[in-house]
Amino acid sequence: MGDAAVSANPWIILPFGMLLALMALAPMYWPNWWSRHYAQAACSLAAVTLVYYLFGLRAWPRVLHMAHDYVSFIVLTGSLFVVSGGIHLNIKGEATPAANVLFLFFGALLANVLGTTGASMLLIRPWLRMNHCRVKAHHVVFFIFIVSNVGGCLTPIGDPPLFLGYLKGVPFWWVAQHCWPMWAVATGFLLAVFYAVDSANYRRAPRKGSPLDAAGSLAPSEGERVGVRGPFAPSLSPPERGEGGKAEDEDPPSHGSGAASEDEKESRVREQGASSSRLRGRTPFGAAKARPSRSAGEEREKIAPAHNTWRFEGLWNIPFLLVILGAVFINHPPFLREGLMAAAAAGSYFSTGRQIHAANYFEFHPLWEVAVLFAGIFATMIPALDWLYLNASRLASPSPGQFYLGSGLLSSLLDSAPAYLGFLNAAVGRFAGQDIAMHTSTDQSAVTFLLSHPVLSRYVLAISLGAVFFGANTYIGNGPNFMVKAIADHQKVRTPGFLGLVFRYTVPYMVPMLALIWWLFLR
């Protein structure tokens, strides 16, 4: 392990556990407090660990090494987020179950080129638009399962933990060569389940020719919840009010039978959807979002209404994507890779027209929230990683399946990136041996030792699969997960809460797939 692990007091792992508990529980039980103070909480807990390591243990090299990993991670994630936000896609045609499956399969492939963050940010808006007549929670959840997580299992660009593995010495194409059978089984399983669920929803949806509401979208049936407002993604802010308190964009009430009651139902549903965290316009974790101005809404209308035509805007950003992809292969000199990625993101942002960003509802707050929370995670997890590394040799002959389960559970409860690092360090400490691990100046030497042995390489494979696949189980399992939920919530799409995701979708759909992967490949 580069910049060798430091033996620290186990109590210093406590800030790490506290941050995880806050991320999981505070948005549900104290959303107002969390929305105002999540940055202070993350930074304060990180400061406790950093002060102890820097001034108590004098472990400056260890902290600087982790800081470099964080910068590499967040620059890749952020640059893909910015560039993909400058590309606007509109899909023509009806969103049948078969069409949706093809879209998700394309997203799974694209996740390996743009990363799960880039593909999620690029595709979630057209995905919601093409399903606007019948969008339900399962559309958002399976998008998270497939595009935001499982799909990105074939390249280091695909998912953050695999990129960290690349930084530690895992060859770029090693993942694709060894993970493609598992990727095919997992993706195929989830697509088949989605097709069954979506087909049932499609059969229940009103057919063409059903009564339309005044905005042009299918009127919700009794007991159904409106997915999006009108045929297009709605404004993030409430409609402007004119004289008498009437919304300026509201149509006159219909005098047909039952029309008023349906309008009242839709209004109530929109109110409920907008206050999912008890605060309108907040992220899944309660953080307040900026409300777009009316001018931004007017800019959106230049693009958003063309939902029945193919539309591709901002394609000049593709060269910026190629710069980011090419920079991944640059290792020296230090920070050249990150500098090129940041330059590509800046070039994309300043060259993209305002109307495209407005149509995509692009804003920096989701990236800011990820950057702040991950800064706290990377700092507070240092003692946990060191403890895993120094105590891994005490493990009694663990199997690849145990590493798969262990890295997966930690990925679900924490985040896939630190879970991957923790168990990769444990594997190095357990199997590389003190004679190698303690005398190497770089992580690459120890990881190369593991990969050179057919038996030991299965542990790296198990860690990769566990970190990537299990990251879909919760909203905190992977960075794109709660970015996707934030966008869906702002467009008034019904999404499950933290526990709802676990018990209504993860347990019945993800757990059987994860068990199948273990049974076929890791027993």
Side-chain angles (χ1 to χ4, degrees), residues 103-432:
F103 186 98
L104 291 177
F105 180 69
F106 170 75
L109 294 175
L110 191 65
N112 295 287
V113 179
L114 302 185
T116 52
T117 299
S120 297
M121 296 302 99
L122 178 63
L123 298 179
I124 182 57
R125 297 172 182 93
W127 173 248
L128 296 178
R129 281 194 293 269
M130 67 184 285
N131 286 280
H132 68 273
C133 288
R134 61 183 187 90
V135 65
K136 298 295 179 185
H138 75 268
H139 289 102
V140 178
V141 171
F142 276 90
F143 185 94
I144 290 175
F145 286 170
I146 297 170
V147 180
S148 302
N149 289 274
V150 174
C153 187
L154 296 181
T155 68
I157 298 174
D159 215 43
L162 301 182
F163 181 71
L164 293 178
Y166 173 73
L167 296 178
K168 299 297 182 184
V170 178
F172 188 90
W173 295 113
W174 185 92
V175 180
Q177 292 170 358
H178 294 80
C179 291
W180 74 263
M182 302 77 173
W183 177 90
V185 171
T187 304
F189 181 95
L190 291 174
L191 287 175
V193 172
F194 171 81
Y195 182 81
V197 174
D198 200 44
S199 294
N201 171 257
Y202 185 73
R203 289 191 295 269
R204 293 193 303 268
R207 299 261 72 73
K208 201 168 185 179
S210 297
L212 298 178
D213 63 12
S217 62
L218 288 170
S221 60
E222 186 174 356
E224 291 287 325
R225 185 169 186 175
V226 173
V228 293
R229 181 182 177 182
F232 317 113
S235 170
L236 301 185
S237 58
E240 296 292 332
R241 297 280 165 181
E243 294 183 6
K246 186 181 184 299
E248 293 179 4
D249 62 350
E250 289 178 10
D251 292 314
S254 171
H255 297 289
S257 176
S261 61
E262 289 293 341
D263 290 342
E264 291 172 0
K265 288 178 187 176
E266 184 172 344
S267 176
R268 287 195 299 270
V269 167
R270 288 171 184 164
E271 291 293 332
Q272 293 169 359
S275 59
S276 57
S277 293
R278 288 195 267 170
L279 294 167
R280 181 181 292 273
R282 295 189 178 275
T283 68
F285 293 96
K289 307 282 281 185
R291 292 164 66 176
S293 64
R294 283 190 61 80
S295 59
E298 293 167 357
E299 294 289 348
R300 268 198 299 275
E301 293 303 317
K302 297 178 182 178
I303 289 181
H307 72 290
N308 58 344
T309 60
W310 289 99
R311 198 176 185 95
F312 302 91
E313 300 284 341
L315 296 184
W316 60 83
N317 285 293
I318 291 178
F320 293 117
L321 284 178
L322 296 178
V323 170
I324 295 173
L325 300 182
V328 170
F329 296 94
I330 300 175
N331 294 316
H332 299 288
F335 295 109
L336 175 60
R337 170 179 56 218
E338 289 77 14
L340 290 174
M341 292 178 178
S348 169
Y349 180 76
F350 289 110
S351 65
T352 298
R354 177 184 180 185
Q355 71 276 11
I356 295 179
H357 281 151
N360 280 337
Y361 295 88
F362 178 85
E363 58 180 61
F364 282 101
H365 191 278
L367 180 62
W368 165 253
E369 186 176 9
V370 169
V372 169
L373 293 177
F374 272 69
I377 288 172
F378 269 73
T380 57
M381 75 178 181
I382 296 176
L385 296 180
D386 289 350
W387 186 92
L388 277 174
Y389 177 77
L390 295 174
N391 292 275
S393 59
R394 301 178 184 178
L395 298 176
S397 301
S399 66
Q402 290 174 312
F403 269 70
Y404 170 71
L405 181 62
S407 62
L409 290 176
L410 190 60
S411 178
S412 299
L413 298 174
L414 165 59
D415 180 82
S416 55
Y420 180 94
L421 280 181
F423 277 83
L424 184 63
N425 288 338
V428 169
R430 176 65 178 83
F431 301 111

